[in-house]
Structure formats: structure tokens, C-alpha cells
Amino acid sequence: MILKDLLKQPPVSILIQDSFYVKGRPLFLSLIHNYSKNGYSVRYFKYDSPLSSEKSEMEQLEFSWQTCIFNENQDSSRTAIESCWSSDLANNGKHLVVAIDSLSPLLLNWTVGELASALRNLQKTTAVAVVALVHGDVHDKETVQALNYIFHCHLTVRKAQGRNVCSGVLRKGSGKLVDSDEYYSITDQWEVKDVEEVVEPSPNVVVDSLPKNAVPKSTFKLDLNAKEEEARSQVVLPYIRKQASSATSETSKGQIIYEAEAPDWDDEDPDDDLEI
């Protein structure tokens, strides 16, 4: 299970996609909170406009991070943002997680190629893992699909049967894609709990057990009555009859019959017309 393994393994580049109906920020904050508890240094960059409820959520998380909220009074150019991302990376050692909340404001001003280039420059330091949030219903499908090639793991949050579901796709080092659907819940202490795989019930339909009224309606008679079924069961098929007769008859050896034709001799002398 992808989400369960992400909580135990070292951080990798993760993209969390949410929508207006299902928020992905709780899972986003829970993941970086988990990495912080495991000893990884977190640098947090926030580009979405802060809301009052989000301010209280930020205060509940008890680990240090750097906040970078851009507005119209600050330099929000690509060069300034890349410089802010990569500053002091060498001083953080091997344990560093860069959390970006979220990519959607950047994608409204940047192309996907520019964003991919900026993230690639950031990830040139192999010790850096980027965990980012994106609002999927803000962008077209082509943009979201292009982001999948930048991140090793793509998590999409949704609701099913009143429970939170995380649909994950993980790209391994060999290039193989692994996917899974998992239920999850988040506690008041920002911990991911109750992670279990979603098991879809498979329909067990036996064709022979279908009732007769399941036969599609037609102007022709498609079903048989009891007398017709009995008569059909007594019919011996041609290949069965041939096999039965060949099994009872004795096996005879094959033979070749050859009748020689009489020789075609001509009694006349072929040299009669010659004056010898």
C-alpha cells in the first residue's frame, strides 16, 4: 500500500491533488508533520492565500518551518522564487523536505515546463524531497498529467462511502508504476491513522443460474419447454455417433488394390512401308 509505505520510508517527491469538494491540505500537513517527527528538516513555502482556519491549523503543528507567502508587495518572479527555494540547502545536511503549498498559484503564471525546470534545479541536490499540493479542478487534465512526470508519487484524495480515500500511483526506480486505493483518517494530532486498502467487491454471476425471465424479450421464441428440452437431450450429435461406431468396430488393416493393364502391342510391322 503506497500511503502506508510513505509513512515508514524516507521521503520522496510527492504530489497531492485535491479538489473543491475534498481538501488535500490535511493529508499534506500530516505527511510533512510525520517527516518532521522522523528527524527530517522541513522548509515550508505557502502561496495560497491564508484563511483563518488554516492559521489555527498552522499553530497546532509544533515543528519549525519557513513560511514564504507572496503577495502583490513582494517579488514573485520565477528567479526570486527559485532563489528562495534553493537558499541554504547545503546547510541542512541530508535530511531536507521542501513543502510547497500550493503549485496552483504558480501554474497560473508559469508554464508547466518552467515549473518542471525550477523543480528539477531544486532536486539536483539528491537529498531534497519535494512534497507539493495542487488543486486539480483549477487546471486542465493535460497540466495535471504533465505534473505526474515530475514527481515520483501522485496522491489523489477523494470520498467513497463517507470515508477519505487516497488513490496513489508510485513510480519505482525501474520505471514500473504501482497503484493502490486506501482508506485513511487524520487525528487531531495530525497523524495518519486507519490506513487500509480499498477492496472492491467482485460480482459473482453464474450464467447457468440466471432465471428464465432474464432472457431478452424478442418476437421469436427463445426458450424451450420441458418436452422440447427432453427431446434436445436425446439427440445424438453426428461426431458422437461416429466416435461410438468406430470404437465398437474392429480395427482393419489398410490394403492397396492394383490391377495391371494389358500391354498395348501393335501386331503390324512398323517397317512395312519401307522397301528393304
Side-chain angles (χ1 to χ4, degrees):
M1 295 188 294
I2 295 178
L3 181 58
K4 195 171 186 178
D5 294 339
L6 289 177
L7 298 173
K8 300 177 182 179
Q9 298 175 355
V12 296
S13 297
I14 304 172
L15 176 67
I16 301 177
Q17 177 182 341
D18 66 356
S19 63
F20 175 79
Y21 301 99
V22 182
K23 300 299 182 183
R25 184 170 283 105
L27 180 60
F28 171 79
L29 295 178
S30 298
L31 279 177
I32 58 179
H33 177 56
N34 175 75
Y35 292 142
S36 177
K37 288 175 57 179
N38 293 337
Y40 295 93
S41 177
V42 177
R43 297 193 63 193
Y44 179 78
F45 300 95
K46 185 173 180 61
Y47 300 105
D48 278 340
S49 300
L51 302 177
S52 57
S53 59
E54 294 177 3
K55 289 181 180 179
S56 61
E57 292 173 356
M58 306 291 288
E59 294 174 355
Q60 294 174 8
L61 293 167
E62 299 176 353
F63 64 92
S64 60
W65 51 23
Q66 295 187 15
T67 306
C68 188
I69 302 176
F70 284 95
N71 53 41
E72 63 274 5
N73 298 324
Q74 293 177 310
D75 186 3
S76 58
S77 64
R78 176 184 169 185
T79 304
I81 293 177
E82 286 190 58
S83 177
C84 187
W85 284 355
S86 58
S87 61
D88 299 331
L89 288 184
N91 299 330
N92 287 276
K94 297 182 179 180
H95 307 288
L96 178 62
V97 176
V98 174
I100 303 177
D101 180 12
S102 71
L103 296 178
S104 293
L106 301 179
L107 287 171
L108 296 178
N109 299 289
W110 296 2
T111 64
V112 179
E114 292 174 340
L115 178 62
S117 177
L119 292 177
R120 193 177 299 111
N121 294 334
L122 177 62
Q123 293 173 334
K124 285 182 179 179
T125 305
T126 56
V128 176
V130 179
V131 181
L133 180 68
V134 67
H135 308 310
D137 49 1
V138 177
H139 313 285
D140 53 30
K141 294 182 179 180
E142 290 75 13
T143 300
V144 177
Q145 290 176 355
L147 293 175
N148 295 338
Y149 297 99
I150 305 175
F151 295 85
H152 289 88
C153 183
H154 183 194
L155 304 179
T156 304
V157 294
R158 58 186 178 88
K159 286 282 189 179
Q161 299 178 355
R163 301 179 62 182
N164 295 323
V165 177
C166 176
S167 299
V169 178
L170 176 66
R171 185 175 69 253
K172 295 187 175 181
S174 60
K176 180 181 179 181
L177 296 179
V178 181
D179 59 346
S180 68
D181 293 337
E182 300 160 75
Y183 292 117
Y184 72 94
S185 61
I186 298 177
T187 64
D188 296 336
Q189 290 75 32
W190 299 98
E191 295 181 353
V192 182
K193 294 291 185 181
D194 304 327
V195 180
E196 58 183 33
E197 189 174 4
V198 178
V199 179
E200 298 290 343
S202 58
N204 298 323
V205 179
V206 181
V207 178
D208 295 340
S209 63
L210 292 176
K212 291 185 178 181
N213 55 7
V215 179
K217 295 182 179 180
S218 174
T219 56
F220 300 95
K221 183 181 179 182
L222 301 178
D223 54 347
L224 303 176
N225 54 34
K227 187 176 180 180
E228 291 171 341
E229 289 181 354
E230 182 181 358
R232 184 182 64 175
S233 63
Q234 295 176 357
V235 175
V236 180
L237 299 177
Y239 68 90
I240 297 179
R241 182 168 56 249
K242 186 174 182 179
Q243 291 177 356
S245 61
S246 62
T248 56
S249 62
E250 296 181 357
T251 304
S252 59
K253 296 182 179 180
Q255 58 181 350
I256 300 176
I257 301 176
Y258 174 72
E259 295 181 358
E261 298 180 356
D264 188 12
W265 300 109
D266 192 356
D267 296 335
E268 296 181 359
D269 186 1
D271 297 332
D272 280 347
D273 55 342
L274 300 177
E275 298 179 357
I276 298 176

